[in-house]
Amino acid sequence: MRTLAFAALASTLMLVSACDDSGTSSTPSPEPNSSAQPQDIESCSSGLDFPDSENLFGGSSAQDSPEWSSESHSMEAIPVSSSSTHRTHRQSSSQVQQAESSSSQNSAPQSAGTSASAPAQVALDKDGFATVADVYKSLAPEEKAVFIIRHSEREDAVTIETELTANGVKMAQDLGKTLKSDEEFSYITSGFVRTNETANNISKGRGEANLPKLITNYDITGNWFLKISADSLALYGSSLGMKGGSVELMSHWAYGEPYPNALYELEPRAQEFMQNVILKNLPRWKRVSIMVSHDIFVMPLAVFGSEKKVALKYYEDYHWINYIAGLAIIVDAQNNLRYVPVKGAESGVIDYLAIYMAEHGQKRNP
């Protein structure tokens, strides 16, 4: 019964926005309300001078998964009840989430080659995420940190020019308020309007007097882990019998299922990003950097950095990476790295099943 319900829900999810925006222009255009301030552009780590728009954006601007829309779901597709309980991404980031205090969860995950010294402990919630603010406050004076997060809540259309919703603006500013200090941050974005607006509103929430000088990095547009275009992911998943489009495909892949024709192997590709993008550019960035990207880039990094402990198995529980959630990369004085999955809102996950049931007046079994 649950298998049938999953197929029905995933199928309708896929129909919300079939493979995002395959017909949209891939050429970056002037970005109103988001890029009036000067911007720096970093070269790609691939060694190319500047890739053309076809290579840069995978043939389109489809860097985000399809957005949930209750209007596209019929009552026949209601999933069966589940005993698990999670909050939805629409809730206010000002609400406080109870963090688990288990010592087994409080240690930041480390991978091969990372620092062996005991890191400062921060509480992780039930889904495996700490707050951005807690990680920031836990940094040692000699440590640097790069917070790679998904942009804030956006409008339904998915193009380069898609802007944040009013709630998305508030979410980003609320995150900034938790990071207030006299310290200057660096802000790195993919150059899309929604990532620029997220960075600007985090800065505004921090109380910075002027808009930050955004740094555009083309390695974080969303194609880092992809061998095919972002538009092709859903079609590729469908060819394998998947009903959940690119979201289901990337979830299977991030947790260990190889798809060598479509996606790079997660761990070596993530390690390459750390070496060729983070450590390469870190000397030019401030002690703390906010890097704003897209879900198909941030979700795999959160899985990688947590050693697959974060609850983002869409194919099992309908979880996907939430807005302004991602991964903190903490670098010590010897360039050793450690990772902590982070959230800027109340939850680090979007629970699509909970959203669906709430919008259709359904309740989960206790």
Side-chain angles (χ1 to χ4, degrees):
M1 181 66 177
R2 179 165 176 82
T3 301
L4 293 175
F6 172 85
L9 174 63
S11 178
T12 50
L13 253 178
M14 184 176 177
L15 293 175
V16 174
S17 177
C19 201
D20 296 334
D21 292 281
S22 58
T24 59
S25 170
S26 62
T27 305
S29 57
E31 300 171 350
N33 304 321
S34 66
S35 54
Q37 71 278 26
Q39 292 195 33
D40 290 337
I41 298 178
E42 295 178 341
S43 61
C44 296
S45 64
S46 62
L48 299 175
D49 292 332
F50 283 95
D52 59 30
S53 59
E54 185 75 13
N55 292 326
L56 174 60
F57 297 109
S60 82
S61 59
Q63 305 303 319
D64 289 299
S65 60
E67 186 60 51
W68 179 272
S69 172
S70 60
E71 295 179 358
S72 68
H73 293 74
S74 68
M75 295 302 289
E76 297 175 356
I78 298 176
V80 295
S81 298
S82 170
S83 60
S84 61
T85 56
H86 299 283
R87 296 178 175 87
T88 74
H89 72 297
R90 295 284 178 178
Q91 291 176 296
S92 169
S93 60
S94 63
Q95 293 175 296
V96 178
Q97 171 129 353
Q98 183 83 31
E100 295 185 356
S101 59
S102 169
S103 60
S104 63
Q105 288 186 312
N106 284 350
S107 296
Q110 299 185 33
S111 59
T114 58
S115 173
S117 60
Q121 293 186 346
V122 292
L124 303 180
D125 67 14
K126 64 185 182 302
D127 296 313
F129 293 84
T131 68
V132 173
D134 282 349
V135 175
Y136 174 52
K137 293 172 185 176
S138 75
L139 294 176
E142 70 277 7
E143 289 181 323
K144 291 188 174 183
V146 180
F147 294 93
I148 303 180
I149 60 172
R150 186 185 180 189
H151 56 78
S152 195
E153 184 182 276
R154 57 165 170 77
E155 298 290 351
D156 289 341
V158 186
T159 69
I160 293 172
E161 295 82 12
T162 298
E163 299 182 350
L164 299 183
T165 63
N167 187 53
V169 170
K170 181 181 184 300
M171 289 172 68
Q173 291 185 9
D174 285 348
L175 172 57
K177 290 175 183 177
T178 70
L179 301 173
K180 283 190 174 182
S181 71
D182 294 331
E183 184 173 16
E184 291 186 4
F185 285 9
S186 290
Y187 295 89
I188 303 99
T189 79
S190 69
F192 284 48
V193 168
R194 55 188 175 275
T195 61
N196 287 2
E197 287 184 340
T198 300
N200 284 339
N201 280 288
I202 292 173
S203 171
K204 184 175 180 179
R206 293 192 70 228
E208 297 178 11
N210 300 307
L211 288 178
K213 185 175 183 179
L214 302 183
I215 301 169
T216 302
N217 187 295
Y218 290 139
D219 286 314
I220 64 169
T221 56
N223 294 325
W224 182 263
F225 294 104
L226 279 56
K227 293 183 179 179
I228 60 179
S229 72
D231 286 327
S232 302
L233 283 179
L235 295 176
Y236 186 83
S238 296
S239 73
L240 299 175
M242 296 181 186
K243 303 297 184 181
S246 58
V247 171
E248 182 179 351
L249 173 66
M250 293 203 72
S251 297
H252 279 291
W253 163 77
Y255 284 93
E257 187 70 26
Y259 298 99
N261 293 329
L263 294 153
Y264 291 99
E265 188 178 348
L266 175 58
E267 182 162 349
R269 188 63 170 163
Q271 294 285 11
E272 182 182 349
F273 177 79
M274 300 305 166
Q275 294 295 321
N276 294 350
V277 179
I278 298 299
L279 292 179
K280 175 183 176 181
N281 291 297
L282 199 63
R284 293 183 285 177
W285 299 342
K286 305 292 186 182
R287 189 182 78 102
V288 176
S289 300
I290 304 293
M291 180 176 279
V292 189
S293 182
H294 306 265
D295 56 353
I296 63 173
F297 175 71
V298 174
M299 179 269 184
L301 284 181
V303 174
F304 160 77
S306 70
E307 297 179 343
K308 302 181 181 180
K309 293 182 176 69
V310 287
L312 291 171
K313 295 181 179 180
Y314 176 85
Y315 56 90
E316 288 186 356
D317 53 22
Y318 306 102
H319 286 181
W320 190 241
I321 191 77
N322 199 5
Y323 296 113
I324 56 177
L327 183 69
I329 303 166
I330 302 166
V331 187
D332 69 14
Q334 290 74 44
N335 278 351
N336 295 308
L337 308 179
R338 61 185 176 91
Y339 310 108
V340 184
V342 292
K343 59 183 181 180
E346 182 186 4
S347 177
V349 305
I350 297 175
D351 184 344
Y352 282 124
L353 179 60
I355 296 171
Y356 180 89
M357 297 185 74
E359 292 182 350
H360 291 84
Q362 303 295 310
K363 293 183 178 180
R364 283 174 161 162
N365 293 330

